[in-house]
Amino acid sequence: MTVVLKAYHNPLDPMTGAPSVEIIGTTTTNSLGFYQFTGLPKLVSGVVGEDSVIYVLEEVQPGGWRDGLDATGTVNGVFVGVTHNDYLDQLALKYGEHGIEYNFGEIKPASISGYVHLTDKDGNCYEPGDTDKTPVAGAVIQLLDSQGNILDQTVTNADGFYEFDDLMPGTYQIKEYTPPGLIDGADHVGTINNIKVGAKGANDLLTEINLASGNDGINYNFCEHLPAELCGFVFHDRDNDGLREPGLGEEGIANVEVYLLDASGNRVTLYDINGVAIGNSIFTEEDGSYCFENLKAGLYTVVEVHPANWLDGLDAVGNIAGVTVGTVNNSNGGDIIRNITLKWGDHGEEYDFGEFKPGSIEGFVHAETDQDCDIDPGELMLQGVEMQLFNSQGTVIGTTFTDVN
């Protein structure tokens, strides 16, 4: 640090009306911050006034430091001088006197930093130093004072890193805002000199971060969850084999309602990317597709509300990353796929519901006269004849009677 000693001489300069100024000397502090000027001229009369010399100490603000408080020292145990920012004046010394403790206080800037990243699939936040975490860029971070007033705001960079630097000593808070499309995770108090400093406040808020001069608070971290998705189709399964085959003309069925149940059997409330509730069911698109987005990790059941004028076909369990996850019982009514376990960030696909249109068999019973089995004019149509429908195992599955025609 550089300290400049100046002297103001009276009488006043007749041209400017101000005291003349003479720089007596310039010095720099040693490794202990100590400075000293020796061999100084004395006051002529010992009284500040005519023909006197008034010393001024002026500090050149050192780079990399914040301005602190300055203090006048003493001469023979008596305070002498007036304190201003980075300079001390009205310092009058008699011959042989020694002024001590004319001090300039400086503050080393402090900082608070941390990361925002995704959890792993099991919802675990990563520990400081882990290298395989996925960063969250563009997350809004606010610096608050101890009363909750906003002091500064920044966003995380491509590495998920944020920092507030050049801070004065004090008590701070850090507020994070969960980015759209993510689900809120845990918050972690960081450290100063390897000691945890701070507390968890409300959601996404770290409080009681007490910084002294030169403190660097690190790893004040926030982790977020990547939502899961569960998707599939409702389709016209023309051959009723449970396989969706769009290349064979098995088109989707639009506007069919589907919904989710949680592990307790309750309907799941659905949310948009901003966390706003949007109901508890969705409807298939024109191509028969549906997709539940922004889901928390958990155990789910997907249910189809059977569409009118369709017969129940076979339902199919989908997959997560190529692994079949879930169960279906097509012999018990269908339209429901159970035991779908989703982890954070999972994408479940091809949880499909097959339906088919009703078919029919019809004909006539008549009295045949010429044995050609064609209905000829004049041949009698037989009313009230019992007709039975059999399945492939020979079991009667329907009975009807011919009408008047």
Side-chain angles (χ1 to χ4, degrees):
M1 181 183 75
T2 300
V3 179
V4 178
L5 180 64
K6 299 179 180 179
Y8 286 76
H9 294 267
N10 279 332
L12 302 179
D13 186 320
M15 298 296 295
T16 65
S20 59
V21 179
E22 177 185 357
I23 296 178
I24 302 298
T26 300
T27 189
T28 56
T29 54
N30 64 15
S31 61
L32 299 177
F34 180 74
Y35 73 91
Q36 184 179 34
F37 293 99
T38 60
L40 302 178
K42 66 173 181 176
L43 282 169
V44 174
S45 63
V47 178
V48 177
E50 291 187 3
D51 300 322
S52 66
V53 179
I54 301 173
Y55 292 111
V56 177
L57 286 170
E58 181 177 319
E59 177 212 19
V60 177
Q61 180 68 33
W65 291 80
R66 295 290 298 272
D67 193 33
L69 299 178
D70 311 321
T72 56
T74 62
V75 178
N76 297 325
V78 178
F79 286 100
V80 176
V82 178
T83 304
H84 304 275
N85 184 46
D86 282 346
Y87 76 95
L88 310 172
D89 69 358
Q90 302 297 318
L91 311 181
L93 293 179
K94 295 180 181 179
Y95 184 74
E97 289 182 331
H98 183 55
I100 62 173
E101 298 296 337
Y102 285 85
N103 297 335
F104 299 90
E106 303 299 340
I107 299 170
K108 194 170 186 179
S111 69
I112 301 174
S113 64
Y115 291 87
V116 181
H117 61 266
L118 297 179
T119 66
D120 64 16
K121 282 189 169 294
D122 294 318
N124 300 312
C125 294
Y126 290 88
E127 295 297 324
D130 289 344
T131 58
D132 57 347
K133 57 181 177 288
T134 301
V136 176
V140 176
I141 310 290
Q142 290 180 338
L143 177 71
L144 313 178
D145 65 17
S146 60
Q147 304 302 311
N149 300 306
I150 299 173
L151 302 176
D152 199 0
Q153 179 172 301
T154 189
V155 295
T156 53
N157 65 15
D159 296 321
F161 178 75
Y162 74 90
E163 182 178 29
F164 297 101
D165 57 9
D166 201 29
L167 302 179
M168 294 290 284
T171 301
Y172 294 92
Q173 304 180 68
I174 296 292
K175 171 71 175 176
E176 184 245 6
Y177 291 86
T178 299
L182 299 179
I183 295 176
D184 189 41
D187 318 320
H188 293 272
V189 175
T191 61
I192 299 174
N193 297 325
N194 296 317
I195 298 174
K196 280 196 172 185
V197 177
K200 294 181 182 180
N203 185 48
D204 285 339
L205 182 67
L206 300 176
T207 65
E208 300 177 26
I209 306 171
N210 299 312
L211 296 179
S213 176
N215 280 169
D216 292 315
I218 62 174
N219 290 317
Y220 287 84
N221 297 341
F222 302 87
C223 56
E224 308 293 355
H225 299 298
L226 186 64
E229 297 178 342
L230 183 59
C231 308
F233 288 84
V234 178
F235 70 101
H236 183 187
D237 191 2
R238 292 179 179 273
D239 53 6
N240 197 32
D241 63 355
L243 301 176
R244 188 175 70 91
E245 299 164 311
L248 299 180
E250 295 189 338
E251 71 278 12
I253 306 173
N255 204 36
V256 179
E257 184 179 8
V258 285
Y259 61 88
L260 292 175
L261 303 177
D262 62 20
S264 300
N266 302 311
R267 275 209 186 193
V268 174
T269 300
L270 306 174
Y271 296 89
D272 66 14
I273 63 171
N274 295 309
V276 178
I278 56 174
N280 58 16
S281 67
I282 58 176
F283 292 83
T284 56
E285 303 290 342
E286 287 298 320
D287 63 353
S289 65
Y290 71 89
C291 196
F292 296 100
E293 300 173 320
N294 305 305
L295 298 178
K296 295 181 179 180
L299 181 66
Y300 291 95
T301 295
V302 59
V303 181
E304 174 208 22
V305 177
H306 193 82
N309 303 318
W310 290 83
L311 294 179
D312 191 35
L314 299 178
D315 310 321
V317 175
N319 69 87
I320 299 172
V323 178
T324 300
V325 177
T327 59
V328 66
N329 185 353
N330 283 304
S331 64
N332 191 29
D335 292 341
I336 184 167
I337 304 173
R338 297 179 171 86
N339 301 316
I340 307 168
T341 299
L342 294 177
K343 294 186 176 183
W344 293 109
D346 277 350
H347 175 72
E349 59 183 0
E350 294 296 343
Y351 287 83
D352 297 340
F353 298 92
E355 312 296 350
F356 58 89
K357 292 181 178 180
S360 64
I361 301 175
E362 62 181 30
F364 295 88
V365 178
H366 65 282
E368 180 63 54
T369 59
D370 54 9
Q371 296 186 359
D372 64 357
C373 209
D374 292 328
I375 302 175
D376 298 319
E379 291 184 335
L380 179 65
M381 308 306 292
L382 302 179
Q383 180 183 6
V385 179
E386 181 178 2
M387 306 298 294
Q388 293 180 333
L389 180 67
F390 295 82
N391 64 16
S392 59
Q393 284 77 41
T395 303
V396 176
I397 59 175
T399 299
T400 191
F401 293 88
T402 57
D403 61 18
V404 294
N405 296 312

